Amino acid sequence: MGKTLPLSGNTAVAYAVKSADVDVVSAYPITPQTTIVEKIAEFVANGELDAEMIHVESEHSALSAAVGASAMGARVYTASSSQGIALMYEIMFIASSLRLPIVMTIAARALSAPINIWNDHSDFMAVSDTGWIMTMAENNQEAHDDVIIAFKVAEDPEVLLPVITALDGYFMTHTIEPINVVEREEALDYAPKRKSWYVLNPDKPITMGALGDPQWYFEFKRQQYEALKKSREVFDRSLEEFSRKFGRRYSAAELYGEENPEVVFVAMGHVVGNVKAYLNRMREKGMRVGVLKLKLYRPFPEDLVLKYLEGVEVVGVIDRALVPGSPSTGPLYGDIVSTLAKHGRDVRVVDFVTGLGGRPVTHEHIEVILTKLAELKNKPVRDLPKEPLFIGVRE
């Protein structure tokens, strides 16, 4: 096993990138992601990582260079945040459609305007339709491990899709925790480099990114759809293998709290830890409450959502992003509601939008949400709020 070091979330991610022995890193600095690529640059400069570090003039170029390097068969990594992710948006579709197994970390941050460098999930949720596999970590150890797991999943011949590993800006990126670092030999034994996809080679020329006219475009998209669906099986298998090798067990989604809970929070990222701590305090009061943590966001783990919300009286979704004008203003709420409805489950679900732009989600906020859910748990579905409830905002 690797050694344990006191590392910030960003530094923990950088150590994982080094252990994965990437060939190319292409990135543009943006707060709060910057120290990830700064630390990787330090590893390269010190000779600890034999990689090509490409310094570009924008995030659009960063991901474009990553696409080119991955098309040549390199193990490629990049990282970004907020408006940088927005600037990558065009190329994200190209990376997934070309089936290039790039790994990118998002240091989750609010989108402008007004300018805000602090944490929420606006940037993460904004790219959920780009065809990338998407994960989010609860703590820094998970953020470290996610990078290594991501390369194993992305490069699997049954998948060949890019992967996002996200962690919350500042609350995790700049907070130090003890991290068990996976050493290079262990990481490569678990996730060996493999060029299992078609690569550009002058000796065996192929065409990439050619015109997909109406004769063929539809077929490409259908294959991409199937690959993303298939990735769930590979993801689960990779988590199981990771657990056997490193002793840390993760799941696409997991329930924490009382058995057979009557009230369940659904959340992602570091807020899950806040809710867990709050529920530990509440156990003395005998309440049957749990929190469903979603680690995997795309493909959405519908089976586990159905499993863990079976028999629950009321569900409170904690959304940290907004989709104004949508029938499901909170994006996570929309996924939960559509999953339950699609499978004919009649479960009360209430959306709570909180923690935007770096505002902390405190135990007091969680208590307000729980009190509201207790009020609503016996109401008919038609009487539940049709708009999200905004928690912690001045109105």
Side-chain angles (χ1 to χ4, degrees), residues 63-296:
L63 191 54
S64 298
V67 165
S70 186
M72 291 296 294
R75 178 170 272 192
V76 180
Y77 177 81
T78 187
S80 193
S81 184
S82 188
Q83 308 305 127
I85 296 296
L87 191 50
M88 286 180 169
Y89 189 67
E90 176 192 359
I91 309 301
M92 290 185 72
F93 288 94
I94 295 171
S96 60
S97 298
L98 291 179
R99 310 286 300 275
L100 297 174
I102 298 163
V103 173
M104 172 167 68
T105 297
I106 292 181
R109 173 187 143 182
L111 288 167
S112 299
I115 294 173
N116 180 294
I117 62 170
W118 292 274
N119 166 247
D120 65 30
H121 294 169
S122 301
D123 51 3
F124 180 82
M125 292 297 180
V127 296
S128 62
D129 59 350
T130 57
W132 288 51
I133 298 165
M134 299 176 71
T135 68
M136 181 170 282
E138 177 190 344
N139 53 53
N140 291 350
Q141 181 68 64
E142 196 172 332
H144 171 84
D145 296 342
D146 280 356
V147 172
I148 295 164
I149 294 167
F151 278 111
K152 185 173 183 67
V153 175
E155 295 175 2
D156 190 290
E158 295 184 277
V159 178
L160 297 180
L161 286 170
V163 180
I164 288 167
T165 70
L167 72 166
D168 282 313
Y170 292 111
F171 290 111
M172 293 171 63
T173 58
H174 289 64
T175 301
I176 293 176
E177 297 177 16
I179 304 297
N180 184 261
V181 175
V182 175
E183 298 291 350
R184 180 178 180 277
E185 292 74 18
E186 294 175 315
L188 293 179
D189 181 60
Y190 168 75
K193 290 182 177 180
R194 49 182 173 182
K195 296 176 186 175
S196 53
W197 61 101
Y198 289 108
V199 299
L200 296 172
N201 182 345
D203 297 328
K204 298 178 182 177
I206 61 170
T207 299
M208 270 190 198
L211 178 70
D213 67 14
Q215 293 285 337
W216 293 106
Y217 181 87
F218 202 171
E219 282 70 25
F220 277 111
K221 287 299 164 185
R222 177 55 194 261
Q223 290 178 16
Q224 190 180 347
Y225 170 85
E226 292 297 334
L228 191 61
K229 196 167 69 172
K230 181 71 178 177
S231 72
R232 170 61 194 287
E233 183 181 323
V234 175
F235 184 76
D236 287 349
R237 196 164 64 225
S238 299
L239 292 185
E240 181 60 33
E241 190 176 336
F242 189 91
S243 172
R244 287 198 303 272
K245 188 171 181 61
F246 300 105
R248 293 187 286 277
R249 180 169 292 279
Y250 301 114
S251 175
E254 60 187 60
L255 183 68
Y256 177 89
E258 301 299 321
E259 289 188 11
N260 303 315
E262 55 186 351
V263 178
V264 169
F265 293 83
V266 178
M268 299 179 68
H270 84 284
V271 167
V272 173
N274 288 3
V275 179
K276 287 179 178 176
Y278 175 81
L279 296 187
N280 289 340
R281 286 174 45 203
M282 295 298 294
R283 278 183 173 162
E284 295 175 0
K285 297 185 179 181
M287 295 187 69
R288 285 166 42 216
V289 185
V291 54
L292 177 58
K293 164 189 166 181
L294 295 182
K295 175 184 180 64
L296 182 66

Side-chain angles (χ1 to χ4, degrees), residues 306-372:
L306 293 170
K307 173 185 172 183
Y308 290 126
L309 298 187
E310 175 75 36
V312 173
E313 293 183 3
V314 64
V315 175
V317 179
I318 297 178
D319 260 304
R320 304 196 58 228
L322 277 175
V323 186
S326 167
S328 54
T329 309
L332 184 55
Y333 169 79
D335 287 311
I336 295 293
V337 168
S338 60
T339 297
L340 294 170
K342 189 168 81 173
H343 294 274
R345 302 293 178 84
D346 186 17
V347 181
R348 299 175 187 85
V349 186
V350 184
D351 194 18
F352 296 90
V353 173
T354 186
L356 299 188
R359 189 160 300 181
V361 182
T362 65
H363 283 195
E364 287 72 23
H365 295 148
I366 296 167
E367 187 163 325
V368 170
I369 294 172
L370 184 58
T371 300
K372 192 65 183 175

